[in-house]
Amino acid sequence: MLTNLFQGKYVKLSGVQEADADIMVKWGEDVEYLRNIDTDIAIPKTKQQIEKQSSSSPNSFYFQLRTIQDDHLIGFIVIHSIEWNNRAGLLSIGIGDPSFRNKGFGTDALQLMLRYAFCELNLNRVGLDVIEYNKRAIRAYEKVGFQQEGRMREAVNRDGKSYDRVIMGILYSEWASFNQQD
């Protein structure tokens, strides 16, 4: 039986649509969102910058996250920096619409993207890093099988305080055995 690669319980992975950049520009006005998805300086992006960033390349697979129920754009997810010879890539996710945070949409999206990474892209390892104060994201990553592998100590500075970047990863074998428990 073939599994739908692009649809989970709550969200589906989709390509970028014309109106998406306008919505994502509004997300860039949310400081919590900006400070959780990236360690870089929080700065709103223009529509043109967002359109450029959301394109895929041979080493990057970018998807929009939309609700199954009404096709509402709620975020993005991407596997990037793929090293094909090592069968490894990095994952980034952002739930831009705050009304969809803490409701299982991110966890569903992570499960979908891991299935895509391991079953379609044939990766063996997916890694990520997350700022230590983003406890909600860390819980979601652990819920789908990511393990903490290390820390980059005091690698992020915000409001005069230093925070660690938590390095996390999941291997295909861990993902496969983790999903057999369902």
Side-chain angles (χ1 to χ4, degrees), residues 82-151:
I82 295 174
E83 296 176 354
W84 294 107
N85 58 321
N86 294 318
R87 295 178 52 212
L90 299 174
L91 183 141
S92 296
I93 183 173
I95 304 295
D97 187 327
S99 62
F100 288 88
R101 296 178 192 153
N102 266 347
K103 296 182 178 170
F105 290 89
T107 299
D108 192 39
L110 288 167
Q111 290 169 330
L112 264 177
M113 194 56 146
L114 288 174
R115 185 172 66 207
Y116 186 80
F118 292 130
C119 297
E120 189 67 14
L121 301 179
N122 197 32
L123 298 183
N124 183 56
R125 181 184 195 289
V126 175
L128 59 84
D129 69 86
V130 58
I131 306 167
E132 70 176 316
Y133 62 67
N134 194 348
K135 306 289 187 202
R136 199 170 41 205
I138 292 169
R139 274 193 310 277
Y141 299 139
E142 289 174 340
K143 193 186 280 188
V144 298
F146 278 88
Q147 296 181 30
Q148 292 190 27
E149 300 176 330
R151 288 178 174 264

Side-chain angles (χ1 to χ4, degrees), residues 1-175:
M1 180 176 107
L2 290 178
T3 304
N4 187 337
L5 279 177
F6 305 111
Q7 186 168 316
K9 292 179 187 173
Y10 308 115
V11 298
K12 60 185 173 180
L13 306 178
S14 78
V16 179
Q17 296 179 9
E18 197 171 316
D20 291 353
D22 291 326
I23 295 167
M24 294 175 79
V25 165
K26 290 188 183 351
W27 296 346
E29 297 168 2
D30 179 350
V31 175
E32 178 187 4
Y33 172 75
L34 289 178
R35 286 181 151 196
N36 279 329
I37 64 162
D38 202 350
T39 59
D40 208 353
I41 295 169
I43 185 167
K45 289 186 169 77
T46 66
K47 182 177 178 178
Q48 292 74 23
Q49 289 170 316
I50 287 171
E51 287 170 344
K52 184 179 176 188
Q53 136 192 337
S54 63
S55 60
S56 291
S57 75
N59 299 325
S60 172
F61 293 82
Y62 183 96
F63 295 98
Q64 299 292 57
L65 297 174
R66 298 183 185 286
T67 60
I68 290 172
Q69 188 172 7
D70 60 5
D71 202 44
H72 179 75
L73 177 65
I74 65 166
F76 76 92
I77 194 163
V78 60
I79 296 281
H80 62 95
S81 305
I82 295 174
E83 296 176 354
W84 294 107
N85 58 321
N86 294 318
R87 295 178 52 212
L90 299 174
L91 183 141
S92 296
I93 183 173
I95 304 295
D97 187 327
S99 62
F100 288 88
R101 296 178 192 153
N102 266 347
K103 296 182 178 170
F105 290 89
T107 299
D108 192 39
L110 288 167
Q111 290 169 330
L112 264 177
M113 194 56 146
L114 288 174
R115 185 172 66 207
Y116 186 80
F118 292 130
C119 297
E120 189 67 14
L121 301 179
N122 197 32
L123 298 183
N124 183 56
R125 181 184 195 289
V126 175
L128 59 84
D129 69 86
V130 58
I131 306 167
E132 70 176 316
Y133 62 67
N134 194 348
K135 306 289 187 202
R136 199 170 41 205
I138 292 169
R139 274 193 310 277
Y141 299 139
E142 289 174 340
K143 193 186 280 188
V144 298
F146 278 88
Q147 296 181 30
Q148 292 190 27
E149 300 176 330
R151 288 178 174 264
M152 294 172 62
R153 296 174 302 140
E154 297 186 11
V156 178
N157 290 289
R158 297 276 159 84
D159 300 321
K161 193 169 178 206
S162 295
Y163 299 93
D164 293 352
R165 286 169 77 166
V166 179
I167 310 303
M168 301 183 80
I170 185 169
L171 303 176
Y172 170 76
S173 59
E174 296 165 341
W175 173 82

